[in-house]
Amino acid sequence: MHGIGEKTMLKSKSKMFKGLVEKIDLALSEGKTFDEIAGKLKNVHVKVRDEYVKPLPTDLCTQLAMNELESRWVIG
């Protein structure tokens, strides 16, 4: 069952994943404080079929925000 429909579905998922990663990257780079970064991450959403969903759970947003701030202190 490796037809054209399956390739189209994979391409669609790949595009959605790429968009999600770009939105996460933007949220990480735009925020200055923990609350800004975590808030922007929590508001990241993707369109799945006809609805928008927020795929990032709060715990993940918190961890990503902490990691981003820690990396800024190490680098800067």
Side-chain angles (χ1 to χ4, degrees):
M1 187 167 197
H2 298 283
I4 294 172
E6 187 173 310
K7 288 181 183 178
T8 302
M9 188 171 65
L10 287 175
K11 194 178 281 189
S12 175
K13 285 183 179 183
S14 176
K15 185 177 177 181
M16 183 177 65
F17 182 74
K18 182 180 176 190
L20 177 60
V21 170
E22 288 172 354
K23 289 178 182 183
I24 291 171
D25 188 46
L26 189 61
L28 291 172
S29 65
E30 286 184 345
K32 304 276 185 258
T33 66
F34 173 82
D35 288 336
E36 284 180 2
I37 295 169
K40 288 178 182 289
L41 288 168
K42 191 65 185 152
N43 287 322
V44 166
H45 60 275
V46 292
K47 187 173 183 180
V48 178
R49 296 191 182 107
D50 293 333
E51 63 182 296
Y52 288 92
V53 295
K54 294 182 179 181
L56 303 177
T58 301
D59 291 347
L60 180 58
C61 294
T62 299
Q63 190 62 50
L64 289 171
M66 288 178 11
N67 288 350
E68 176 62 20
L69 290 175
E70 286 175 5
S71 73
R72 291 179 187 179
W73 283 100
V74 170
I75 295 170

